[in-house]
Amino acid sequence: MLFKRFLNQIAILIILLSSCSKSKVFTENDIQIIPKPRELKITKGFFEFSKNTKFVTNNDSQKEILNTLISKFNIAAGWNLEIVKEVPQKNYVKFSIDPNLTNEGYLLNVTKDNIIIKANGNAGFLYGLESLRQLLPTAIESSTLVKDIEWRVPNLLIQDEPRFKWRGLMLDVSRHFFELDYLKETIDAMAMLKLNVLHLHLIDHQGWRIEIKKYPKLTNVGAWRVPQKDINWRSREVNDPDVKGTYGGFYTQEQLVELINYATSKNIEIIPEIEMPGHVSSAIAAYPELSCTGEKIAVPSGGNPNKNVYCGGKESTYLFLEDVLKEVMEIFPSRYIHIGGDEAQKFQWKKCKHCQNRIKKEGLKNEDELQSYFIKRMEKFINAHDKKLIGWDEILEGGLAPDATVMSWRGVKGGIEAAKQGHNVIMTPNSHCYFDHFQGPQNEEPPGIRGYLPLSKVYQFDPVVESMSKEEASYVLGGQANLWAEYIPTEEHSQYMLYPRLAALAETVWSPKKFKDWVDFSERITSMFKRYKLLGINYAKSVYSVTADAKINIEEKVVEVILKNEFPKSDIRYSTDGNELNSASKKYTEPIKITETTNLKASLFENDKPIGRELNQTIKFHKAIGKRITYNEMYSDSYKGVGKFNMINTLRGTKNFRDGQWQAWLDKDMEVVIDLEKETSISQVIVGSMENQGPGIYYPTKIEVFISEDGKNYKIAGSVEKAYAKNAGSELKDFKINFSEQKARFVKVVATSLKQTPTGGSVWLFIDEILID
């Protein structure tokens, strides 16, 4: 009897729990869609998918769109959901044509009985379905069967359309080659975020990636280079043109057609970039006669050999490019052809008889006008084939081609100027859209080029500049992220740089500006993290990182440390006693005052658990802190650090040489004298330095320490030497000079610079701290 009563109670409890579950009330906080829809109205109740849910359409292209979601249900729920022509009484999803909606707009209406997606065409249906996908539990992205999931979406009405026509991503496949399957995976991720342009940078100095049948050496020669992985990209050596390259690859025309068809099914237009007149060493390596000199060269392994440009004077150059463009335009149905046009150093043109004859013949003033002639001539050819030309903002130099669209990358100035002239503009400023920049503390990030672009800064991007008039703003087509691949050799690394920043960019070019809210976005992005994880996307977790800024009160010898994180209202916890971080660790609420050598640990917490990378930093107090310092050789105005006390303030620099903690000397030695103010026993001096050979930063070749009692008569206490060696990475190093304990008041430190690179370039010497103990 008691057992039966117990079973009845259990049954009642199960019914109550089920009832509570069925009565769940959805709120706007449950809507995690990125990019944020234009209009959303949530109502009571929900629609629940089941194994009997039907999808209604009789259009083959719509079936293809629906199959994306159907296949996900097949994997995650184990259901084989049907597409039918007849509309059931309930429990169905239906596409419905609405000619009043814009080309990419959609209406998504969810009730307890059905889901209706209205659109003017396939683009709207695709985007409506992508929004529906993000309304479902993140488990829909699973690659294996998931049990005990209620596949519910809230009853709501979404009316949505994009703010801008151009919502793009540029992938550099020249510097490092990526396979076709990876490009398709990227297209899938773009479609989820409602991006609609994939710009392929197919050609650069380091590789020609598109098959041109009339000129087979472009891929037989130009697509392959000698690998130099052990040398920094910018410092790589010139290759012997007679040595066959082994790194590279290219896309056949058939592969590109396959890719274009795949992208079209996702409402993504692929724009090819065929560089000219610069960034073309790979073409000149294949056909040396395309240059001014005709000199035989190899495909470079790295660097930026911008001296290699097409000859702007030879008629054969233009005929070659027209042949190439004919094949490109046969492959790509895109409205636009991107011709690059950037960073072309024209000093060869000044010495070239063909170029000077062309300048004279065409009545041009100088080499800038020759470049303008070059671009205008190519535009005329492109226009004759019903295409439009796009170029980087350098195409403004010497006069803009009549119908050219400008892609503004050197900030927004070029875009503003083009809009003033009545030209269409795509904004992609390197300050907000260059995804090859680091997104977290550089010491903790994989190798990159330089610059700092965290998720929150990407979200600040707006293609329309406030100073623009309404008319000028009308010429802005939209915005684009660019991922240059000099330092990105793998697909995994490429994903790391793209995600989640691409989600922030997507919202800035889709959603109304009035909806821009970092707090709101930072809450929604965590749901996208879960999707990325289930999709196997190697997204960066840099946004979780805690960073530390510090300032020192020299007189009181107190360091104040300020902890920060990108997420608003962050729960940051820390310790200064060496203990591991846990739920009991102290919450950060105000700057931390430190008066002695301290090991500081800090982390972002969520639900009382640490998440992301832990900050682990030792702030070392030493005998030189706050003492008088004299610079016998002054540092460069370009890198002053925090000024006079930079070397003796306990604050260390990072791999980001622009972080404000470094002092630097160009082609000069460092020589400083520290006055300890009284005779002091010392036995060690540590000098902190950096090496990053790409931008010309090299370790000192020798460091010497001299000591004195009177500041006039010095004797050497110790020294350390470091021979030059090739270094492909960015490194920090503390040079330690140990010696027998001695008494001294004055300490002179001399760091000898390499002064000249092996190739004859200038050398920076970077120092962040001199520690005396």
Side-chain angles (χ1 to χ4, degrees):
M1 187 73 176
L2 286 173
F3 181 72
K4 185 176 181 181
R5 185 181 299 169
F6 174 75
L7 288 178
N8 287 337
Q9 289 174 341
I10 291 294
I12 292 169
L13 180 61
I14 290 172
I15 292 169
L16 287 173
L17 289 173
S18 175
S19 175
C20 290
S21 175
K22 291 287 185 184
S23 63
K24 170 176 170 56
V25 177
F26 287 92
T27 68
E28 286 200 20
N29 290 333
D30 296 305
I31 312 302
Q32 304 291 311
I33 298 173
I34 295 175
K36 194 175 183 69
R38 179 176 290 267
E39 294 181 34
L40 185 149
K41 182 180 179 182
I42 192 166
T43 56
K44 188 177 180 181
F46 54 83
F47 176 91
E48 184 165 10
F49 284 87
S50 72
K51 62 181 180 180
N52 298 316
T53 300
K54 301 291 190 294
F55 290 84
V56 183
T57 184
N58 54 14
N59 181 304
D60 287 341
S61 59
Q62 292 176 12
K63 287 180 183 178
E64 187 177 357
I65 295 169
L66 287 170
N67 278 329
T68 300
L69 188 59
I70 290 171
S71 64
K72 287 185 173 293
F73 271 119
N74 180 258
I75 296 168
W79 300 336
N80 292 309
L81 302 181
E82 290 183 81
I83 296 177
V84 299
K85 293 182 179 179
E86 299 298 325
V87 180
Q89 289 186 338
K90 59 181 181 179
N91 194 17
Y92 63 89
V93 178
K94 180 186 176 185
F95 282 172
S96 178
I97 294 286
D98 186 342
N100 295 317
L101 294 171
T102 59
N103 288 337
E104 294 185 299
Y106 68 92
L107 185 148
L108 172 60
N109 190 17
V110 181
T111 68
K112 66 182 181 63
D113 292 327
N114 57 53
I115 297 174
I116 307 296
I117 300 176
K118 292 184 178 182
N120 190 13
N122 287 343
F125 290 128
L126 174 73
Y127 294 152
L129 201 70
E130 290 293 350
S131 288
L132 176 59
R133 173 183 171 184
Q134 291 192 50
L135 289 170
L136 283 160
T138 55
I140 194 65
E141 314 297 350
S142 176
S143 59
T144 58
L145 186 66
V146 182
K147 296 181 179 180
D148 303 322
I149 292 288
E150 294 172 329
W151 300 102
R152 297 173 175 174
V153 294
N155 290 347
L156 50 69
L157 178 66
I158 291 176
Q159 291 183 317
D160 202 9
E161 64 180 7
R163 180 183 173 200
F164 292 103
K165 296 177 182 178
W166 188 290
R167 307 180 302 281
L169 166 66
M170 188 282 293
L171 284 183
D172 172 8
V173 295
S174 172
R175 272 58 174 268
H176 283 98
F177 180 70
F178 299 118
E179 299 291 344
L180 206 67
D181 285 345
Y182 176 68
L183 299 185
K184 289 181 178 179
E185 291 170 7
T186 304
I187 286 168
D188 290 340
M190 291 174 65
M192 183 164 66
L193 295 169
K194 304 181 177 72
L195 296 169
N196 67 349
V197 177
L198 176 59
H199 166 184
L200 289 181
H201 187 74
L202 292 163
I203 293 158
D204 215 298
H205 293 302
Q206 295 82 12
W208 184 287
R209 305 298 179 208
I210 176 173
E211 178 191 26
I212 302 297
K213 292 182 178 179
K214 189 168 183 176
Y215 298 98
K217 287 199 291 185
L218 289 173
T219 45
N220 292 343
V221 176
W224 305 95
R225 66 177 186 249
V226 175
Q228 296 186 32
K229 291 183 179 180
D230 61 330
I231 304 175
N232 186 286
W233 178 270
R234 293 188 171 211
S235 302
R236 291 182 178 179
E237 298 169 349
V238 176
N239 294 322
D240 183 339
D242 293 324
V243 176
K244 173 67 176 174
T246 57
Y247 173 84
F250 64 93
Y251 308 109
T252 66
Q253 295 192 4
E254 291 74 21
Q255 285 178 317
L256 288 169
V257 169
E258 177 189 339
L259 185 69
I260 289 163
N261 290 337
Y262 187 80
T264 301
S265 73
K266 305 289 185 179
N267 193 47
I268 290 173
E269 183 177 25
I270 299 183
I271 307 295
E273 182 178 356
I274 309 299
E275 277 274 12
M276 60 184 81
H279 287 274
V280 291
S281 297
S282 55
I284 294 173
Y287 298 98
E289 63 271 19
L290 294 170
S291 70
C292 292
T293 65
E295 178 186 356
K296 189 177 180 181
I297 65 169
V299 178
S301 293
N304 198 19
N306 286 331
K307 67 178 182 179
N308 296 323
V309 298
Y310 289 134
C311 179
K314 295 176 184 175
E315 188 65 19
S316 57
T317 299
Y318 299 97
L319 296 177
F320 164 82
L321 286 169
E322 288 174 3
D323 288 339
V324 168
L325 289 173
K326 282 177 187 175
E327 293 195 34
V328 169
M329 290 185 286
E330 286 175 5
I331 301 166
F332 291 88
S334 57
R335 295 164 292 171
Y336 296 96
I337 302 293
H338 200 304
I339 54 83
D342 63 311
E343 297 181 329
Q345 293 181 10
K346 299 179 277 288
F347 63 87
Q348 284 189 350
W349 288 2
K350 292 182 179 181
K351 300 182 292 183
C352 173
K353 65 179 182 179
H354 302 288
C355 293
Q356 293 306 311
N357 287 341
R358 179 74 63 176
I359 289 172
K360 184 177 180 180
K361 178 182 176 182
E362 300 296 337
L364 308 174
K365 293 180 181 178
N366 51 34
E367 288 73 27
D368 281 345
E369 288 201 2
L370 177 57
Q371 178 168 346
S372 178
Y373 165 84
F374 195 119
I375 301 302
K376 287 175 181 177
R377 181 164 171 175
M378 287 296 100
E379 183 193 41
K380 187 175 180 181
F381 179 79
I382 289 169
N383 290 163
H385 290 77
D386 295 323
K387 304 282 187 179
K388 292 187 176 183
L389 178 146
I390 296 177
W392 302 107
D393 55 53
E394 283 95 331
I395 67 172
L396 285 158
E397 296 168 6
L400 194 55
D403 197 34
T405 296
V406 171
M407 196 167 268
S408 186
W409 73 275
R410 296 178 299 178
V412 296
K413 184 179 178 181
I416 294 171
E417 179 59 32
K420 287 182 184 293
Q421 295 182 28
H423 287 262
N424 285 336
V425 174
I426 299 151
M427 288 294 193
T428 178
N430 53 8
S431 57
H432 291 77
C433 297
Y434 269 41
F435 284 12
D436 50 335
H437 292 183
F438 297 102
Q439 53 195 313
Q442 190 169 330
N443 293 8
E444 300 170 359
E445 294 290 311
I449 187 164
R450 60 177 176 267
Y452 177 53
L453 181 58
L455 182 68
S456 56
K457 188 171 182 180
V458 177
Y459 194 72
Q460 295 169 11
F461 171 60
D462 194 303
V464 173
V465 182
E466 287 187 5
S467 62
M468 283 181 164
S469 67
K470 188 174 181 180
E471 181 182 0
E472 290 164 359
S474 69
Y475 289 105
V476 178
L477 299 181
Q480 175 174 293
N482 294 329
L483 183 57
W484 301 103
E486 290 97 327
Y487 293 87
I488 303 173
T490 67
E491 295 168 358
E492 184 180 42
H493 190 174
S494 178
Q495 285 185 336
Y496 184 93
M497 304 303 279
L498 287 175
Y499 313 105
R501 290 187 289 190
L502 199 59
L505 186 284
E507 182 148 308
T508 66
V509 292
W510 176 281
S511 304
K513 185 176 181 179
K514 65 181 180 180
F515 287 164
K516 185 172 286 190
D517 184 334
W518 170 244
V519 175
D520 175 51
F521 178 82
S522 65
E523 291 172 352
R524 285 180 286 122
I525 194 63
T526 56
S527 176
M528 188 62 74
F529 290 166
K530 296 174 185 175
R531 294 182 189 275
Y532 286 155
K533 184 176 181 179
L534 289 168
L535 289 166
I537 291 174
N538 181 41
Y539 70 97
K541 302 172 184 65
S542 311
V543 70
Y544 289 122
S545 295
V546 173
T547 57
D549 283 342
K551 58 182 180 180
I552 186 169
N553 184 319
I554 295 294
E555 288 75 21
E556 297 181 10
K557 294 182 175 57
V558 173
V559 174
E560 287 192 351
V561 179
I562 301 164
L563 300 179
K564 295 186 293 185
N565 173 258
E566 284 194 79
F567 285 125
K569 305 173 185 176
S570 297
D571 179 6
I572 299 174
R573 305 187 192 185
Y574 70 95
S575 71
T576 55
D577 53 11
N579 289 334
E580 296 301 312
L581 298 172
N582 54 45
S583 59
S585 297
K586 189 173 182 179
K587 288 192 175 186
Y588 175 78
T589 57
E590 60 183 5
I592 305 164
K593 294 185 177 181
I594 295 175
T595 57
E596 59 185 359
T597 297
T598 300
N599 178 220
L600 173 66
K601 296 179 181 179
S603 179
L604 187 67
F605 272 67
E606 188 177 81
N607 299 323
D608 277 340
K609 294 181 179 179
I611 56 174
R613 299 189 189 102
E614 179 184 278
L615 172 72
N616 192 331
Q617 182 174 322
T618 297
I619 298 172
K620 183 174 175 58
F621 277 66
H622 53 92
K623 294 180 178 181
I625 290 176
K627 305 302 184 183
R628 287 194 292 269
I629 184 168
T630 301
Y631 290 83
N632 293 339
E633 183 66 63
M634 283 301 294
Y635 44 81
S636 167
D637 286 340
S638 299
Y639 298 98
K640 300 179 179 180
V642 297
K644 183 178 179 180
F645 294 102
N646 189 85
M647 294 292 184
I648 47 175
N649 65 357
T650 79
L651 308 183
R652 305 306 303 273
T654 67
K655 290 182 181 179
N656 177 9
F657 57 85
R658 294 188 177 90
D659 67 7
Q661 299 297 339
W662 293 96
Q663 291 181 333
W665 289 259
L666 182 62
D667 300 333
K668 295 179 180 179
D669 300 334
M670 178 203 79
E671 183 174 322
V672 301
V673 176
I674 298 167
D675 180 359
L676 299 177
E677 298 175 359
K678 64 180 181 179
E679 198 171 75
T680 306
S681 293
I682 61 174
S683 60
Q684 184 185 67
V685 173
I686 299 175
V687 179
S689 186
M690 171 197 288
E691 184 160 80
N692 186 347
Q693 293 181 2
I697 303 170
Y698 290 77
Y699 284 140
T701 58
K702 186 176 183 180
I703 298 177
E704 299 168 285
V705 175
F706 302 86
I707 58 175
S708 170
E709 294 180 358
D710 59 6
K712 296 178 181 179
N713 300 299
Y714 285 90
K715 65 178 181 179
I716 190 161
S719 66
V720 62
E721 296 188 15
K722 176 78 169 66
Y724 160 76
K726 294 177 184 177
N727 186 350
S730 174
E731 291 181 357
L732 304 177
K733 181 176 177 63
D734 281 347
F735 290 87
K736 296 180 181 179
I737 299 94
N738 296 307
F739 43 90
S740 60
E741 186 170 333
Q742 302 181 52
K743 289 187 176 182
R745 174 176 170 177
F746 297 93
V747 179
K748 181 193 292 184
V749 181
V750 179
T752 303
S753 168
L754 182 63
K755 295 191 179 66
Q756 190 178 80
T757 71
T759 57
S762 291
V763 165
W764 284 102
L765 172 66
F766 270 65
I767 308 292
D768 69 335
E769 185 85 357
I770 296 174
L771 301 90
I772 300 178
D773 277 314

